[in-house]
Amino acid sequence: MTLAELLPSIGCSTEPVLEEGLWPDGTRLDGADLVIGGVPATQLAARFGTPCQVLDERTVRSRARAFLRALPDAEVVFADKSLPCPEVYRWMAAEGLSLDVSSAGEVALARAAGFPAWRIVLHGNVKTSEDLKAALEHGVSRIVVDSFDEIAQLGSLARHGQEVMIRVTPGVDAHTHAAIATGVEDQKFGFSLASGAALEEILRVVEQPSLRLAGLHCHIGSQVRHVASYEETVRRMVGLIASCGVRIEQLDRGGGFCAPYLPGESSFDLFGFSQRVLGVLHYECAVHRVPVPRLLVEPGRSIVANAGVTLYRVCAVKRGVTRTFVAVDGGMSDNPRPALYGAKYAVRLVGRGGKLRSATVVGRHCEAGDVLAEDVLLPSDVHSGDLLAVPVTGAYHHALASNYNQVCRPPVVAVRDGVARPIARRETEEDLLRRHV
Ligand SMILES: *Cc1c(COP(=O)(O)O)cnc(C)c1O
């Protein structure tokens, strides 16, 4: 259902109401202003400029804690690629989470944050020798291997007893966008369970004197809504554990827990997940008579997505033949997700109300696909200088940002209890020039 179709069901109200479940915890309206983490959005925009990525610290921490509460015996590993930022890693460390990194660059950020190496996992479908060396040098606790070449390379680089996990492709369809489905057969991630490659790989790692097999790993994709996909994955993974005849101590179930992006979408049922997945794990292990491995989960998006709000300034309004285009001072450089995956967003105007009308919010970049949100409701007199707020921008925004058109990347501003502070500053033209000769 589009927002325009939803309009009658909310009574054509021009009174500002906050969409439920999308905004950071405790976000409220103060008149027409939007207060995030105790700080009015109009103040944030005036002080830090726009576009500005606002991140509510309390929401991040409370989502991290929710995972620990739902899975008290599991290791909860924050997938740092969703929001690579040393300050956020420090929050995760303080809350008792581990960290998932996927490159030498992410190792460097984790190192800068002082994240304990014994709680860092390195994964990724391709790791260069620089990635592996950086991880080994920092002493990361586990490396998830994803190819024959990598095992050979790691075998010669690693010190004695480096713990590894094997990335398995369980052949489970997560029912998500093809660009973020990683559990099905015949894509670039992991060793196939069905073809026997995963089993072969387990035996190969066991034979490597410098490596120690710590466990098996799988990740079926992102924005996964169905707990059934996770249950089926665990069932297949335990089958593999039983058939390999090797003691497997850890089973990493990956991440992918969905976050709501539009009004009416529900949050991931974490409690249902823990009940059902732990149930299947214990049942299948009993049936196959294998010890129950320790479960690991790797949430990224579901911890940070709804903690983020991006603020934009309207630069121009164009009336097309059938549509109104509202052009803002950001776009695909700070949010390429609509262009990459057809991602959809809600948008609200901050600072005043008015009769609502459907509009398309577009970015400033030289691409027709640079559209941030189609068919959203904004006051019909929306004009340049207006402030727009887009919720659910905490995950894969800062991470995927580029400086296309040499637009400087926005800052990340953390808010908490009425205090705002940048945890990543805005990129400057000096930063842009620094790399050029
Ligand atoms: C990307 C990724 C995650 C996190 O996915 P989310 O959808 O952000 O939860 C976890 N594990 C692995 C291996 C990944 O590649």
Side-chain angles (χ1 to χ4, degrees):
M1 193 185 267
T2 65
L3 275 173
E5 285 162 352
L6 267 171
L7 188 55
S9 66
I10 55 171
C12 287
S13 168
T14 56
E15 280 298 303
V17 280
L18 211 51
E19 301 81 358
E20 227 171 283
L22 303 186
W23 301 87
D25 302 343
T27 301
R28 59 186 172 81
L29 291 167
D30 179 10
D33 206 342
L34 186 70
V35 182
I36 312 161
V39 189
T42 49
Q43 257 181 40
L44 288 165
R47 186 171 155 206
F48 299 103
T50 51
C52 179
Q53 297 184 338
V54 183
L55 186 70
D56 181 57
E57 179 177 345
R58 286 201 180 278
T59 303
V60 173
R61 287 181 182 262
S62 94
R63 304 282 154 113
R65 259 178 245 145
F67 271 92
L68 293 171
R69 255 201 318 274
L71 298 157
D73 299 321
E75 182 175 354
V76 180
V77 187
F78 175 59
D80 86 320
K81 73 174 196 278
S82 63
L83 182 50
C85 183
E87 180 64 3
V88 174
Y89 300 172
R90 284 182 208 110
W91 302 346
M92 296 300 166
E95 295 298 339
L97 274 70
S98 300
L99 194 70
D100 225 359
V101 297
S102 60
S103 69
E106 290 182 359
V107 170
L109 256 58
R111 197 169 199 157
F115 204 95
W118 57 274
R119 270 159 52 194
I120 299 179
V121 178
L122 175 75
H123 71 97
N125 75 301
V126 172
K127 300 168 202 76
T128 64
S129 55
E130 287 76 25
D131 296 333
L132 290 174
K133 281 178 195 154
L136 291 169
E137 198 191 313
H138 188 49
V140 308
S141 63
R142 284 145 294 174
I143 296 178
V144 183
V145 293
D146 205 309
S147 68
F148 295 126
D149 301 304
E150 200 173 285
I151 296 191
Q153 199 184 3
L154 193 57
S156 62
L157 286 174
R159 276 184 299 264
H160 194 70
Q162 173 64 48
E163 293 204 343
V164 300
M165 293 198 269
I166 293 172
R167 169 92 180 232
V168 176
T169 311
V172 172
D173 186 354
H175 304 288
T176 186
H177 191 284
I180 48 174
T182 58
V184 291
E185 294 288 352
D186 265 336
Q187 41 74 42
K188 66 176 190 170
F189 295 96
F191 295 98
S192 161
L193 197 161
S195 76
L199 186 58
E200 197 182 315
E201 217 36 50
I202 292 172
L203 304 176
R204 194 181 297 220
V205 166
V206 170
E207 281 166 10
Q208 290 270 348
S210 58
L211 304 180
R212 198 182 92 74
L213 182 64
L216 300 182
H217 177 284
C218 56
H219 170 73
I220 55 173
S222 207
Q223 273 301 70
V224 179
R225 291 183 188 285
H226 305 288
V227 173
S229 306
Y230 287 114
E231 284 179 307
E232 182 55 25
T233 307
V234 167
R235 205 169 281 128
R236 293 187 187 193
M237 294 297 283
V238 175
L240 175 63
I241 290 172
S243 66
C244 77
V246 176
R247 172 81 199 269
I248 302 292
E249 290 158 11
Q250 300 176 25
L251 176 59
D252 191 333
R253 231 326 349 252
F257 314 99
C258 70
Y261 279 78
L262 293 178
E265 288 180 4
S266 49
S267 301
F268 189 75
D269 176 13
L270 195 50
F271 186 70
F273 168 86
S274 77
Q275 297 291 298
R276 286 169 60 182
V277 165
L278 291 176
V280 168
L281 178 64
H282 284 265
Y283 176 80
E284 293 293 323
C285 287
V287 167
H288 288 98
R289 295 172 196 280
V290 291
V292 178
R294 185 174 190 208
L295 191 69
L296 283 80
V297 288
E298 304 175 324
R301 187 194 310 275
S302 49
I303 291 183
V304 292
N306 297 94
V309 175
T310 301
L311 304 176
Y312 298 101
R313 193 67 72 181
V314 174
C315 294
V317 176
K318 287 187 199 176
R319 315 259 170 214
V321 180
T322 57
R323 293 195 287 172
T324 299
F325 294 98
V326 177
V328 297
D329 53 2
M332 67 192 302
S333 58
D334 61 82
N335 182 11
R337 297 187 67 258
L340 276 173
Y341 322 122
K344 305 238 180 308
Y345 288 86
V347 180
R348 72 179 301 129
L349 193 143
V350 179
R352 63 188 174 84
K355 191 171 172 298
L356 299 178
R357 220 170 86 170
S358 173
T360 294
V361 179
V362 297
R364 58 175 293 176
H365 296 281
C366 306
E367 302 251 350
D370 180 25
V371 173
L372 285 172
E374 273 177 288
D375 191 27
V376 293
L377 292 174
L378 294 174
S380 54
D381 64 344
V382 57
H383 53 71
S384 83
D386 275 340
L387 185 64
L388 301 186
V390 180
V392 210
T393 61
Y396 304 105
H397 279 240
H398 172 67
L400 287 172
S402 74
N403 40 39
Y404 180 40
N405 288 135
Q406 302 308 295
V407 170
C408 294
R409 282 175 283 196
V412 179
V413 175
V415 290
R416 175 180 168 164
D417 305 332
V419 177
R421 65 192 172 104
I423 57 174
R425 64 164 172 77
R426 184 181 300 283
E427 198 168 33
T428 63
E429 282 162 16
E430 233 166 71
D431 293 327
L432 298 180
L433 287 166
R434 196 164 288 157
R435 296 174 55 218
H436 294 280
V437 289

